[in-house]
Amino acid sequence: MKIKQVVLNDRPKLIQLFESITIFTPDEQEVIKELLDTYLYNPNQKDYIFFVTQEDDQAFSSFICFGPTPMTKETYDLYWVGTSPHHRRKGLAKKLIEFMMEYMRERGGSIMRIETSGQDSYNETVAFYNGLNFTEEARIKDFYKKGDDLIVYICRL
Amino acid sequence: MKIKQVVLNDRPKLIQLFESITIFTPDEQEVIKELLDTYLYNPNQKDYIFFVTQEDDQAFSSFICFGPTPMTKETYDLYWVGTSPHHRRKGLAKKLIEFMMEYMRERGGSIMRIETSGQDSYNETVAFYNGLNFTEEARIKDFYKKGDDLIVYICRL
């Protein structure tokens, strides 16, 4: 397994990976594809970067999308991370987030932000983020929809 | 004075308005122009909308940029609001925000979010938002840079 930055030729395989991750809703799939196309087709943008893990058989097993938060000095947003159902429970998402931390450190980054739904917290997400030294620093009630809060996780490097 | 939605022909006058608002830093000016061009040149995007107040002499006296927050059901982000130095203290920003509230209500919107710098809070901003029923619901320390927190204001309609 290696981590590689996504290039234009990777688009079909990456779309396939997105679509295999059925825990993403159709709305979420749309947003992720939009970000990918902004990243691939707008050479002037600096807000979104995509990396994947590529297996020995060349398959993409997981991806991450992150970028420097506009107008901040040392803050990065982790926008999306996801793993193919065939490659779960191997620590790939954790590896990609650790890769992002290293990427940030090399560029003077010190704060990583994740915005996520409170509904995600019923599954493994909270334990996962806590294990990576993220803490819940803010919560906006009913943000996504009634009964579905926004939770902001922060990791300070 | 009337409120009108921005169209492609308005671009030069709007850029002029942005540049007259010297409380925006060069970085902020860049981000605002990027959003404007996304709004004007990408007909598929639905995230950003621009309106201006136009005076009787056709000058643009203030502007607002907002949009439905992706993946939420009833939430809108107020991204930017600003007034020409020649037209301050006339309540234009307040009028534009009230216009946005009305716009939201007509579309089932119920939560307005503003993300702003803690450093803005030393001036009139806090009083301004409080007067419009915004409350500080979250604060992320050192988010913009060391000593400069992110404050999230929420208004529930």
Side-chain angles (χ1 to χ4, degrees), chain A residues 40-53:
Chain A
L40 290 175
Y41 296 119
N42 181 351
N44 294 322
Q45 73 85 31
K46 298 181 198 85
D47 296 344
Y48 308 107
I49 310 160
F50 281 77
F51 285 86
V52 289
T53 53

Side-chain angles (χ1 to χ4, degrees), chain A residues 115-118 138-140 143-144 148-152, chain B residues 113:
Chain A
E115 293 194 335
T116 189
S117 155
R139 182 181 283 256
I140 310 285
F143 186 81
Y144 289 105
D148 187 1
D149 303 346
L150 165 70
I151 301 181
V152 183
Chain B
R113 172 172 70 168

Side-chain angles (χ1 to χ4, degrees), chain A:
Chain A
M1 189 279 289
K2 64 171 186 180
I3 293 175
K4 83 167 208 100
Q5 189 166 353
V6 171
V7 296
L8 195 52
N9 278 346
D10 299 327
R11 189 176 185 281
K13 270 168 73 179
L14 200 52
I15 298 280
Q16 227 176 358
L17 171 62
F18 296 159
E19 289 173 353
S20 77
I21 305 175
T22 49
I23 48 168
F24 292 144
T25 65
D27 274 7
E28 291 174 333
Q29 299 270 358
E30 269 319 293
V31 171
I32 299 169
K33 284 180 203 167
E34 264 176 47
L35 295 191
L36 176 66
D37 286 346
T38 298
Y39 164 74
L40 290 175
Y41 296 119
N42 181 351
N44 294 322
Q45 73 85 31
K46 298 181 198 85
D47 296 344
Y48 308 107
I49 310 160
F50 281 77
F51 285 86
V52 289
T53 53
Q54 185 165 38
E55 301 298 317
D56 297 342
D57 67 359
Q58 309 303 311
F60 293 165
S61 44
S62 63
F63 80 97
I64 190 167
C65 169
F66 64 86
T69 309
M71 292 178 300
T72 69
K73 216 172 143 102
E74 302 181 9
T75 301
Y76 280 66
D77 270 295
L78 168 51
Y79 294 109
W80 297 96
V81 61
T83 302
S84 152
H86 302 108
H87 294 275
R88 298 201 66 189
R89 310 238 157 246
K90 290 159 62 178
L92 292 175
K94 183 162 182 273
K95 279 204 179 70
L96 283 172
I97 294 176
E98 286 166 349
F99 170 82
M100 176 181 164
M101 288 175 177
E102 202 43 47
Y103 183 101
M104 286 173 58
R105 277 193 200 97
E106 285 168 5
R107 289 158 180 82
S110 67
I111 296 179
M112 192 190 301
R113 173 172 68 168
I114 303 178
E115 293 194 335
T116 189
S117 155
Q119 298 198 329
D120 291 342
S121 65
Y122 295 112
N123 60 34
E124 317 137 49
T125 314
V126 167
F128 176 76
Y129 290 137
N130 287 343
L132 284 161
N133 285 321
F134 282 87
T135 50
E136 178 183 324
E137 290 206 10
R139 182 181 283 256
I140 310 285
K141 203 170 146 47
D142 298 327
F143 186 81
Y144 289 105
K145 61 177 189 285
K146 284 199 173 56
D148 187 1
D149 303 346
L150 165 70
I151 301 181
V152 183
Y153 290 98
I154 297 286
C155 175
R156 296 176 188 271
L157 304 189

Side-chain angles (χ1 to χ4, degrees), chain B residues 116-127:
Chain B
T116 189
S117 155
Q119 297 199 331
D120 291 342
S121 65
Y122 295 113
N123 59 33
E124 316 137 50
T125 314
V126 167

Side-chain angles (χ1 to χ4, degrees), chain B residues 65-133:
Chain B
C65 169
F66 64 86
T69 308
M71 293 178 301
T72 68
K73 215 172 145 96
E74 302 182 8
T75 301
Y76 281 67
D77 271 295
L78 168 51
Y79 294 109
W80 296 96
V81 60
T83 302
S84 151
H86 301 108
H87 294 275
R88 299 202 63 188
R89 310 238 157 244
K90 290 158 64 178
L92 292 175
K94 182 161 184 275
K95 279 206 179 69
L96 283 173
I97 293 175
E98 285 165 349
F99 170 82
M100 175 180 164
M101 289 175 178
E102 202 45 45
Y103 183 101
M104 287 173 58
R105 276 193 201 99
E106 285 167 7
R107 290 158 181 81
S110 68
I111 296 179
M112 191 190 301
R113 172 172 70 168
I114 303 178
E115 293 194 335
T116 189
S117 155
Q119 297 199 331
D120 291 342
S121 65
Y122 295 113
N123 59 33
E124 316 137 50
T125 314
V126 167
F128 176 76
Y129 290 137
N130 287 343
L132 283 161
N133 285 321

Side-chain angles (χ1 to χ4, degrees), chain B residues 136-150:
Chain B
E136 178 182 325
E137 289 205 10
R139 181 182 283 256
I140 310 287
K141 205 172 143 50
D142 299 328
F143 185 82
Y144 289 104
K145 61 178 190 285
K146 284 199 173 59
D148 187 2
D149 302 347
L150 165 70

